[in-house]
Amino acid sequence: HSAQLDSSGIPDEPSTRLVLLAAQYTHKPPRKDSPQPPPPSPAKEWASQCLQSKGNSLRQYANTLIFLAPDQDNLETLFEAIADQRAWQKVIDEKLLLQITVNQENQAAAKIKEATTTIAALIPQTWCHLLVPHQSQPGNQGPSWDEFRLSAGSESLVKRASGKCQQEEALYQALGASRIRRYLDSFLWQNRESVNVKELVDWCRKYLYLPRVSTDEVILEGLTNA
C-alpha cells in the first residue's frame, strides 16, 4: 500500500503487507549521542495510529504490517529535483510564448531528461527507513519499533524490504517447530492445555509478540515438519 493519507486506506486483513508512507510522514533516525530519546517522528506517529485502527474501527491484524518511511533530508532533495523538472517542462510548454530558439528547446529537453533520471534514482534512496513494530510480551503498552535502513540496490523496494526483514528476523518465510514451541510455552500455554492450529495461525496475524510470517503455510509447515 502506498501514500495513503488515512489509516482507513490500509485494509485490515490477514496477509502480510508493506506500507509505503506518504511524503507527509517523514522519518529521521535519532542521533546516537542524544542524551534523551527524541519525540516520535511523523512516520512513527502515523504508523502507530494505523496499527491501532482502520479508520474508526479497531484493527485486528496488526502483526501483518511493516512500514517504509521517507527520509526527511532525502525528501527535500527529491522535491528540488521534481521542481527542477517541472520548471524546464514549463519552458517547453510555453516555448511559443517565450520565443525560445530550437537550441534552447533542445537544452530544456535535456534538462528534463536529466531531472527525470535524478528523480528515479532518488525515490528508492528516499523511502529507506523500515519501521517494524513488535512487543516483547502481551499487554497494552503499545508497540516498540525496530528501525532498519534499506541499502541501495537494483531490486524493487518491496523485494529489498522483504529481504531485510528476513535477514533481521522481522519476517519469517520458514519457522522451525522448536521456535514455535518456545512461543507456545512463553505466551499461549500458560492458562490452557492446548491450542488449536487455526487459532495459532490467527494469533500470529494479530499479536505483535508472536512471529510475523509471510504466509499461513509458514506455521503449518513448521508444525508438520516437526
Side-chain angles (χ1 to χ4, degrees), residues 118-135:
T118 300
I119 291 168
L122 284 173
I123 287 175
Q125 294 177 24
T126 300
W127 271 263
C128 63
H129 295 296
L130 269 175
L131 305 178
V132 183
H134 66 89
Q135 287 180 322

mmCIF file of all heavy atoms in Angstrom, residues 118-135:
data_model
loop_
_atom_site.group_PDB
_atom_site.id
_atom_site.type_symbol
_atom_site.label_atom_id
_atom_site.label_comp_id
_atom_site.label_asym_id
_atom_site.label_seq_id
_atom_site.Cartn_x
_atom_site.Cartn_y
_atom_site.Cartn_z
ATOM 1 N N THR A 118 17.338 11.745 -12.303
ATOM 2 C CA THR A 118 17.657 12.025 -10.900
ATOM 3 C C THR A 118 16.497 11.627 -9.990
ATOM 4 O O THR A 118 16.705 11.020 -8.930
ATOM 5 C CB THR A 118 17.966 13.525 -10.710
ATOM 6 O OG1 THR A 118 19.081 13.879 -11.527
ATOM 7 C CG2 THR A 118 18.273 13.834 -9.267
ATOM 8 N N ILE A 119 15.280 11.926 -10.389
ATOM 9 C CA ILE A 119 14.096 11.581 -9.595
ATOM 10 C C ILE A 119 13.985 10.070 -9.424
ATOM 11 O O ILE A 119 13.728 9.562 -8.325
ATOM 12 C CB ILE A 119 12.827 12.153 -10.251
ATOM 13 C CG1 ILE A 119 12.822 13.676 -10.150
ATOM 14 C CG2 ILE A 119 11.569 11.580 -9.617
ATOM 15 C CD1 ILE A 119 11.776 14.352 -11.002
ATOM 16 N N ALA A 120 14.184 9.350 -10.521
ATOM 17 C CA ALA A 120 14.091 7.891 -10.469
ATOM 18 C C ALA A 120 15.117 7.298 -9.514
ATOM 19 O O ALA A 120 14.853 6.309 -8.822
ATOM 20 C CB ALA A 120 14.271 7.306 -11.869
ATOM 21 N N ALA A 121 16.293 7.914 -9.447
ATOM 22 C CA ALA A 121 17.337 7.426 -8.537
ATOM 23 C C ALA A 121 17.053 7.815 -7.093
ATOM 24 O O ALA A 121 17.393 7.072 -6.160
ATOM 25 C CB ALA A 121 18.690 7.969 -8.974
ATOM 26 N N LEU A 122 16.430 8.979 -6.895
ATOM 27 C CA LEU A 122 16.213 9.478 -5.541
ATOM 28 C C LEU A 122 15.045 8.811 -4.825
ATOM 29 O O LEU A 122 15.048 8.715 -3.587
ATOM 30 C CB LEU A 122 15.975 10.994 -5.575
ATOM 31 C CG LEU A 122 17.210 11.870 -5.798
ATOM 32 C CD1 LEU A 122 16.796 13.333 -5.974
ATOM 33 C CD2 LEU A 122 18.170 11.737 -4.622
ATOM 34 N N ILE A 123 14.048 8.345 -5.561
ATOM 35 C CA ILE A 123 12.873 7.754 -4.911
ATOM 36 C C ILE A 123 13.249 6.562 -4.027
ATOM 37 O O ILE A 123 12.882 6.522 -2.844
ATOM 38 C CB ILE A 123 11.807 7.384 -5.954
ATOM 39 C CG1 ILE A 123 11.144 8.655 -6.489
ATOM 40 C CG2 ILE A 123 10.752 6.462 -5.358
ATOM 41 C CD1 ILE A 123 10.165 8.428 -7.611
ATOM 42 N N PRO A 124 13.979 5.543 -4.538
ATOM 43 C CA PRO A 124 14.355 4.442 -3.648
ATOM 44 C C PRO A 124 15.345 4.848 -2.557
ATOM 45 O O PRO A 124 15.400 4.204 -1.509
ATOM 46 C CB PRO A 124 14.977 3.412 -4.602
ATOM 47 C CG PRO A 124 15.396 4.181 -5.802
ATOM 48 C CD PRO A 124 14.411 5.302 -5.918
ATOM 49 N N GLN A 125 16.120 5.898 -2.774
ATOM 50 C CA GLN A 125 17.016 6.386 -1.729
ATOM 51 C C GLN A 125 16.252 7.114 -0.633
ATOM 52 O O GLN A 125 16.680 7.162 0.522
ATOM 53 C CB GLN A 125 18.054 7.333 -2.332
ATOM 54 C CG GLN A 125 19.039 6.683 -3.292
ATOM 55 C CD GLN A 125 19.993 7.691 -3.907
ATOM 56 O OE1 GLN A 125 20.242 8.750 -3.345
ATOM 57 N NE2 GLN A 125 20.511 7.375 -5.085
ATOM 58 N N THR A 126 15.101 7.679 -0.995
ATOM 59 C CA THR A 126 14.308 8.446 -0.030
ATOM 60 C C THR A 126 13.459 7.529 0.843
ATOM 61 O O THR A 126 13.433 7.668 2.066
ATOM 62 C CB THR A 126 13.417 9.454 -0.772
ATOM 63 O OG1 THR A 126 14.248 10.340 -1.536
ATOM 64 C CG2 THR A 126 12.583 10.267 0.201
ATOM 65 N N TRP A 127 12.760 6.577 0.227
ATOM 66 C CA TRP A 127 11.957 5.633 1.016
ATOM 67 C C TRP A 127 12.875 4.500 1.471
ATOM 68 O O TRP A 127 13.002 3.467 0.820
ATOM 69 C CB TRP A 127 10.779 5.115 0.196
ATOM 70 C CG TRP A 127 9.579 5.990 0.340
ATOM 71 C CD1 TRP A 127 8.523 5.798 1.181
ATOM 72 C CD2 TRP A 127 9.294 7.220 -0.348
ATOM 73 N NE1 TRP A 127 7.617 6.824 1.075
ATOM 74 C CE2 TRP A 127 8.068 7.706 0.136
ATOM 75 C CE3 TRP A 127 9.981 7.955 -1.312
ATOM 76 C CZ2 TRP A 127 7.498 8.902 -0.313
ATOM 77 C CZ3 TRP A 127 9.417 9.136 -1.759
ATOM 78 C CH2 TRP A 127 8.192 9.590 -1.275
ATOM 79 N N CYS A 128 13.530 4.731 2.610
ATOM 80 C CA CYS A 128 14.608 3.830 3.017
ATOM 81 C C CYS A 128 14.524 3.367 4.466
ATOM 82 O O CYS A 128 15.317 2.516 4.883
ATOM 83 C CB CYS A 128 15.963 4.492 2.768
ATOM 84 S SG CYS A 128 16.225 6.001 3.743
ATOM 85 N N HIS A 129 13.572 3.896 5.245
ATOM 86 C CA HIS A 129 13.518 3.551 6.666
ATOM 87 C C HIS A 129 12.419 2.516 6.928
ATOM 88 O O HIS A 129 11.224 2.826 6.851
ATOM 89 C CB HIS A 129 13.248 4.798 7.507
ATOM 90 C CG HIS A 129 14.343 5.814 7.458
ATOM 91 N ND1 HIS A 129 15.615 5.557 7.937
ATOM 92 C CD2 HIS A 129 14.375 7.084 6.974
ATOM 93 C CE1 HIS A 129 16.368 6.621 7.758
ATOM 94 N NE2 HIS A 129 15.653 7.556 7.170
ATOM 95 N N LEU A 130 12.845 1.297 7.233
ATOM 96 C CA LEU A 130 11.905 0.251 7.611
ATOM 97 C C LEU A 130 11.558 0.414 9.088
ATOM 98 O O LEU A 130 12.454 0.432 9.944
ATOM 99 C CB LEU A 130 12.514 -1.130 7.386
ATOM 100 C CG LEU A 130 12.300 -1.796 6.039
ATOM 101 C CD1 LEU A 130 13.099 -3.100 5.979
ATOM 102 C CD2 LEU A 130 10.829 -2.073 5.788
ATOM 103 N N LEU A 131 10.285 0.515 9.387
ATOM 104 C CA LEU A 131 9.798 0.606 10.759
ATOM 105 C C LEU A 131 8.989 -0.653 11.054
ATOM 106 O O LEU A 131 7.934 -0.877 10.452
ATOM 107 C CB LEU A 131 8.936 1.859 10.939
ATOM 108 C CG LEU A 131 9.605 3.187 10.554
ATOM 109 C CD1 LEU A 131 8.632 4.344 10.735
ATOM 110 C CD2 LEU A 131 10.872 3.425 11.376
ATOM 111 N N VAL A 132 9.499 -1.475 11.966
ATOM 112 C CA VAL A 132 8.916 -2.791 12.219
ATOM 113 C C VAL A 132 8.397 -2.840 13.658
ATOM 114 O O VAL A 132 9.190 -2.798 14.605
ATOM 115 C CB VAL A 132 9.940 -3.912 11.992
ATOM 116 C CG1 VAL A 132 9.294 -5.275 12.182
ATOM 117 C CG2 VAL A 132 10.559 -3.800 10.600
ATOM 118 N N PRO A 133 7.071 -2.936 13.850
ATOM 119 C CA PRO A 133 6.521 -2.959 15.216
ATOM 120 C C PRO A 133 6.653 -4.345 15.848
ATOM 121 O O PRO A 133 6.589 -5.371 15.175
ATOM 122 C CB PRO A 133 5.052 -2.593 14.991
ATOM 123 C CG PRO A 133 4.749 -3.109 13.609
ATOM 124 C CD PRO A 133 6.023 -2.949 12.825
ATOM 125 N N HIS A 134 6.821 -4.345 17.160
ATOM 126 C CA HIS A 134 6.879 -5.622 17.889
ATOM 127 C C HIS A 134 6.607 -5.357 19.357
ATOM 128 O O HIS A 134 6.612 -4.210 19.827
ATOM 129 C CB HIS A 134 8.251 -6.284 17.717
ATOM 130 C CG HIS A 134 9.371 -5.512 18.339
ATOM 131 N ND1 HIS A 134 9.770 -5.682 19.647
ATOM 132 C CD2 HIS A 134 10.177 -4.531 17.836
ATOM 133 C CE1 HIS A 134 10.767 -4.861 19.921
ATOM 134 N NE2 HIS A 134 11.030 -4.142 18.840
ATOM 135 N N GLN A 135 6.363 -6.423 20.101
ATOM 136 C CA GLN A 135 6.232 -6.375 21.556
ATOM 137 C C GLN A 135 7.014 -7.532 22.151
ATOM 138 O O GLN A 135 7.071 -8.614 21.552
ATOM 139 C CB GLN A 135 4.766 -6.464 21.994
ATOM 140 C CG GLN A 135 3.950 -5.204 21.737
ATOM 141 C CD GLN A 135 2.511 -5.364 22.193
ATOM 142 O OE1 GLN A 135 1.916 -6.424 22.053
ATOM 143 N NE2 GLN A 135 1.947 -4.296 22.742
#
